[in-house]
Amino acid sequence: MNKLITFLTVIFMAKLMYAQNIEVCSTCSVSTLTEAIAQAKDFDTIIVKKGTYKEHNITINKPLIIIGENYPVIDGELKGEIITIISDDVTIDGLFVINVGTSYTEDYAAIRVRKSKNFVIQNVVLENLFFGIYIEKSNYGKIYHNKIIGDAVEEYNSGNGIQLWYSNYIEIEHNFVEHVRDGIYLEFSDHCIIKNNVSEQNLRYGLHFMFSNDDLYQDNTFENNGAGVAVMFSKKIKMINNTFKENWGTASYGMLLKEINDAEIIGNTFQENTIGINIEGSNRIVYKNNNFINNGWAVKVRGACYANSFLENNFLYNSFDISYNSKVNDNVFDRNYWSNYTGYDLDKDGVGDVPYRPVKLFSYIVNRTPETIILLRSLFIDIIDFSEKVSPVFTPDNLLDNNPLIKKATW
Amino acid sequence: MLKILKYSFYDLMRSRWSYVYFAFYLLLGVVLLFLNNDLSKAVITLMNVIIVLVPLIGTIFGVMYYYNSKEFTELLLAQPLKRPSIFLGQYLGVALSLSMSLILGLGIPFVFYGLFKSGAIWDFSLLLITGVFLTLIFTALAFNIALSNENKIKGFGYAILLWLLLAIIYDGVFLMTLILFEDYPLDKLSLVGTMLNPIDLSRTLILLKLDISALLGYTGAVFKQFFGTNFGLIVSFSVLVVWVMLPVWRIVFKSKKKDF
């Protein structure tokens, strides 16, 4: 907050002292953005009037505020990168940037920020793009209220909506991203905050973390992506109150965790995904107060997952609640609500008197021979599941929820 | 044929068993809704019940009805009536009255619970349609068994065996086969295996609605085409129709030749 205030004050002061406005329009004395930037002094404001500006390779090399009035169109004519920011304290507001060039050797972006601090990119609309907003080795920036609409068809020749690379302390809020490769992609980016974004119908992931630590993402919606969120090789990430919906397909997950340690997953909703959460090599993660509704597999544990705890989650009408592929269990399940629980509560304390076994023998069989999925909900399967429940042979016998809730967990 | 159908139907409508059957479903529906407070979960539980119980009741009831009305049948045979119309009339009488008990027994509590306003209506109608199909199929199979066996005890034995075979044993063998041949591509085999058993087929049909997200988890082009599109629904329904036609055709065939 302090940083924000200082930053705003600096801009405000700067503006008061010697900032001036430069207007850009087709009939003005300055008719292109490039020209305006060349004429401007530090901390000037450039106002771009409504119209179409066919420009690309616009380099912003001094602290400027660029404001578009009524969404002027910056058309890159598919020739390459459109706006590159290489100075600190640049603000871009209200532009409509279209037609970024596609390249197989260079990542052309609609707006790129390179080695700069304190940038603000807001109310920008991007269409027909390769990469959208590309932040490269830049810190303390804000990306607010942008709309990125791609038309990606294949993974190899499409780019990401918002990409962060070696950039820390970035805030990404209220953005809408659809039809790109990865909606939002973070690589080597720490301490970022991602809030209230909507990322849908992307080819690969709605949100993708690689080697990024201490990030927070909250209240986002991920719908109908190749996979909702992939979190890989990262530490201490907080995932709070997000919604993961309808990520369907053979390799589709609501959330994919791979080599994640010490994360918190709290208050999320996973609905109608083929796999709610797929966990691989992830340790010390707290899953609390999440809703798993109508998923194929609510949680699929692939292996090398230790000391995770699942507390007070609701597992509602999933085809499989938990699936394990080994007999070893080091994770804790406690006080969850399982819609498949058939026990009773004689002492009326709201906790079932019989422990619940979330892993079914059938899920073990399906892991081994996937085609057997066709026998789901058959009477024979119910019988063998029951016998396995009575005396576990193939599934981990200490994998129990000792205190299954009788009523849905509320928080 | 219609006249015999009418007589069989009215006869069954007056019988105690139809009411028991109807009352059972009514009770089941009410209790499920009362305990679950949730339509979609009740539909899943109902699916399990329908897939197991409807075939059982269809076979037992069909066999029972045939043996009980044997004297009436012999009386009818003395009249100038076509044989297929006698047996088909009786068959349809039984099957329709059973289906009616099923539809009314389950339908009434669900309608009162607000089915028409909920999203579960399609799942529920699919459930009833498969229930009716299963009744038609298993009553026909029961008539086949009864026509081929003069001995009542044997007939009942075969009927129960048939149910046991299709409802449980078949799936066990099917599962073993799939596990045994897991190194080979199995998606076609598993689909064909499903088609060959009407109970599995109806189960799959309902799975298509309820567990589609899990079914899509398997990587197989044939599976994907089958489950991901309406193709699966259409094929399943047509095979169910074939499953009704075959035993009915055999009733006609057998009744023409049978010596009474």
Side-chain angles (χ1 to χ4, degrees):
Chain A
M1 198 59 208
N2 273 335
K3 268 172 206 145
L4 185 72
I5 289 169
T6 343
F7 169 67
L8 285 176
T9 331
V10 164
I11 288 192
F12 190 65
M13 299 280 283
K15 214 173 160 179
L16 270 189
M17 283 187 294
Y18 47 74
Q20 60 170 71
N21 287 358
I22 299 176
E23 287 194 356
V24 181
C25 65
S26 50
T27 51
C28 303
S29 58
V30 182
S31 63
T32 65
L33 196 50
T34 321
E35 219 173 304
I37 293 164
Q39 282 188 14
K41 294 189 198 71
D42 287 5
F43 302 104
D44 279 1
T45 301
I46 297 175
I47 294 172
V48 185
K49 302 275 185 189
K50 193 171 173 57
T52 304
Y53 303 87
K54 298 199 168 167
E55 293 178 66
H56 64 280
N57 287 335
I58 305 168
T59 307
I60 303 175
N61 52 8
K62 49 191 115 175
L64 289 175
I65 298 172
I66 299 176
I67 297 174
E69 270 188 15
N70 298 320
Y71 289 101
V73 178
I74 314 287
D75 185 348
E77 297 178 286
L78 301 172
K79 281 177 184 160
E81 191 142 300
I82 300 180
I83 299 175
T84 313
I85 299 171
I86 53 170
S87 153
D88 293 352
D89 307 310
V90 173
T91 300
I92 293 187
D93 189 345
L95 298 181
F96 190 165
V97 184
I98 59 171
N99 297 336
V100 183
T102 304
S103 157
Y104 294 96
T105 50
E106 231 172 309
D107 293 344
Y108 290 136
I111 299 173
R112 175 188 298 269
V113 182
R114 183 182 293 153
K115 294 184 185 164
S116 311
K117 271 188 242 161
N118 303 331
F119 58 89
V120 178
I121 297 172
Q122 60 186 5
N123 304 321
V124 167
V125 181
L126 309 180
E127 270 181 31
N128 197 7
L129 49 102
F130 184 45
F131 279 78
I133 300 173
Y134 197 127
I135 314 294
E136 188 183 322
K137 295 195 169 171
S138 304
N139 301 328
Y140 305 103
K142 296 181 175 59
I143 302 172
Y144 292 159
H145 295 275
N146 301 296
K147 193 168 183 180
I148 301 176
I149 298 172
D151 45 9
V153 185
E154 279 153 311
E155 270 186 26
Y156 68 90
N157 61 2
S158 51
N160 304 326
I162 298 174
Q163 171 149 353
L164 271 57
W165 188 64
Y166 282 109
S167 300
N168 305 324
Y169 304 98
I170 310 286
E171 288 170 31
I172 303 175
E173 289 184 28
H174 289 104
N175 297 289
F176 178 88
V177 188
E178 68 165 48
H179 281 118
V180 288
R181 186 173 64 192
D182 286 349
I184 302 170
Y185 180 43
L186 282 77
E187 198 171 344
F188 305 107
S189 298
D190 303 341
H191 304 285
C192 295
I193 295 173
I194 300 163
K195 262 190 194 172
N196 292 312
N197 300 289
V198 177
S199 182
E200 59 184 41
Q201 299 178 49
N202 297 304
L203 283 188
R204 200 165 64 183
Y205 305 126
L207 171 61
H208 189 180
F209 289 89
M210 280 296 220
F211 315 105
S212 300
N213 306 324
D214 301 294
D215 298 314
L216 162 72
Y217 68 98
Q218 191 173 5
D219 301 309
N220 301 291
T221 303
F222 305 99
E223 198 171 331
N224 213 337
N225 299 298
V229 175
V231 191
M232 299 182 182
F233 308 98
S234 303
K235 276 181 250 171
K236 291 185 211 150
I237 293 187
K238 289 198 171 87
M239 320 176 197
I240 298 169
N241 295 340
N242 300 289
T243 306
F244 305 81
K245 268 167 87 179
E246 288 170 34
N247 298 298
W248 278 6
T250 50
S252 281
Y253 318 100
M255 192 194 280
L256 168 66
L257 302 181
K258 193 175 165 66
E259 306 291 332
I260 303 302
N261 293 322
D262 306 296
E264 286 171 29
I265 300 175
I266 297 172
N268 300 289
T269 302
F270 298 85
Q271 201 170 352
E272 289 173 50
N273 303 295
T274 298
I275 297 171
I277 308 186
N278 189 68
I279 316 171
E280 214 174 322
S282 301
N283 308 311
R284 299 181 299 280
I285 299 177
V286 179
Y287 300 82
K288 203 173 173 192
N289 299 348
N290 300 293
N291 283 317
F292 297 88
I293 307 167
N294 281 327
N295 299 292
W297 284 260
V299 178
K300 200 165 194 173
V301 180
R302 298 275 197 187
C305 297
Y306 303 102
N308 299 296
S309 47
F310 294 81
L311 310 169
E312 293 173 44
N313 302 291
N314 288 321
F315 291 86
L316 307 171
Y317 327 121
N318 303 296
S319 305
F320 301 95
D321 287 330
I322 314 276
S323 140
Y324 259 65
N325 62 359
S326 74
K327 271 191 72 176
V328 187
N329 172 42
D330 187 43
N331 302 316
V332 178
F333 295 84
D334 201 24
R335 296 186 68 83
N336 297 292
Y337 173 77
W338 312 87
S339 64
N340 291 336
Y341 180 58
T342 48
Y344 41 82
D345 178 24
L346 289 182
D347 50 5
K348 304 240 155 115
D349 58 352
V351 174
D353 299 344
V354 189
Y356 178 72
R357 282 190 185 283
V359 179
K360 300 254 167 27
L361 173 60
F362 186 49
S363 75
Y364 171 83
I365 296 173
V366 171
N367 260 339
R368 227 185 100 170
T369 320
E371 290 87 353
T372 51
I373 185 81
I374 202 147
L375 289 168
L376 184 67
R377 291 188 198 285
S378 143
L379 182 60
F380 182 79
I381 298 299
D382 289 347
I383 294 171
I384 60 168
D385 273 348
F386 179 75
S387 58
E388 174 76 10
K389 196 165 94 181
V390 176
S391 60
V393 180
F394 297 99
T395 54
D397 58 349
N398 65 341
L399 204 161
L400 288 172
D401 187 337
N402 280 312
N403 302 302
L405 296 181
I406 290 294
K407 288 206 171 106
K408 267 186 223 175
T410 46
W411 44 82
Chain B
M1 189 176 103
L2 280 177
K3 206 154 221 170
I4 294 163
L5 191 159
K6 209 173 85 184
Y7 280 123
S8 300
F9 191 71
Y10 283 136
D11 178 31
L12 279 161
M13 281 292 90
R14 278 196 299 271
S15 98
R16 195 159 15 116
W17 288 109
S18 298
Y19 288 107
V20 170
Y21 192 50
F22 169 70
F24 168 74
Y25 278 122
L26 197 65
L27 197 71
L28 181 76
V30 171
V31 167
L32 270 183
L33 289 174
F34 181 70
L35 288 180
N36 278 321
N37 293 318
D38 184 58
L39 270 177
S40 45
K41 201 193 169 189
V43 168
I44 294 180
T45 318
L46 266 187
M47 183 204 97
N48 284 322
V49 173
I50 282 189
I51 278 179
V52 176
L53 274 189
V54 165
L56 180 66
I57 291 169
T59 29
I60 300 293
F61 212 80
V63 174
M64 205 164 75
Y65 184 80
Y66 177 86
Y67 287 130
N68 273 351
S69 59
K70 205 164 177 196
E71 282 163 18
F72 177 57
T73 314
E74 275 164 13
L75 181 74
L76 284 178
L77 285 171
Q79 310 298 318
L81 288 169
K82 273 190 186 160
R83 277 188 168 194
S85 67
I86 295 175
F87 289 98
L88 282 185
Q90 284 187 344
Y91 159 68
L92 286 176
V94 177
L96 289 183
S97 76
L98 284 178
S99 312
M100 209 178 75
S101 302
L102 174 77
I103 292 174
L104 288 182
L106 287 180
I108 290 171
F110 273 78
V111 167
F112 274 109
Y113 199 78
L115 175 74
F116 291 120
K117 282 178 217 144
S118 93
I121 182 151
W122 291 112
D123 295 350
F124 187 72
S125 10
L126 184 70
L127 205 68
L128 287 187
I129 291 169
T130 34
V132 170
F133 262 114
L134 282 175
T135 311
L136 288 173
I137 292 168
F138 279 87
T139 319
L141 290 173
F143 264 69
N144 271 305
I145 289 171
L147 272 168
S148 316
N149 291 287
E150 283 298 309
N151 187 338
K152 267 188 195 183
I153 307 295
K154 249 188 173 173
F156 271 107
Y158 282 133
I160 291 176
L161 196 69
L162 173 82
W163 173 78
L164 208 62
L165 187 77
L166 289 182
I168 302 174
I169 300 171
Y170 185 90
D171 283 355
V173 175
F174 191 13
L175 181 67
M176 290 315 292
T177 323
L178 288 179
I179 293 179
L180 214 62
F181 295 103
E182 65 182 356
D183 297 338
Y184 298 89
L186 286 174
D187 40 2
K188 273 185 193 150
L189 175 77
S190 56
L191 285 179
V192 170
T194 315
M195 298 291 164
L196 292 180
N197 179 348
I199 295 184
D200 273 356
L201 191 59
S202 341
R203 192 172 42 77
T204 320
L205 206 56
I206 299 170
L207 286 189
L208 280 177
K209 280 269 163 275
L210 295 180
D211 292 277
I212 184 71
S213 42
L215 290 171
L216 282 176
Y218 168 64
T219 357
V222 183
F223 254 47
K224 205 159 187 184
Q225 200 204 354
F226 191 82
F227 290 124
T229 59
N230 275 331
F231 180 70
L233 210 66
I234 294 163
V235 171
S236 306
F237 267 120
S238 353
V239 178
L240 273 181
V241 171
V242 173
W243 260 106
V244 179
M245 308 276 266
L246 280 180
V248 168
W249 173 80
R250 192 169 175 273
I251 292 177
V252 174
F253 179 76
K254 194 81 189 167
S255 63
K256 272 183 188 156
K257 288 199 164 173
K258 192 172 160 68
D259 192 15
F260 282 90

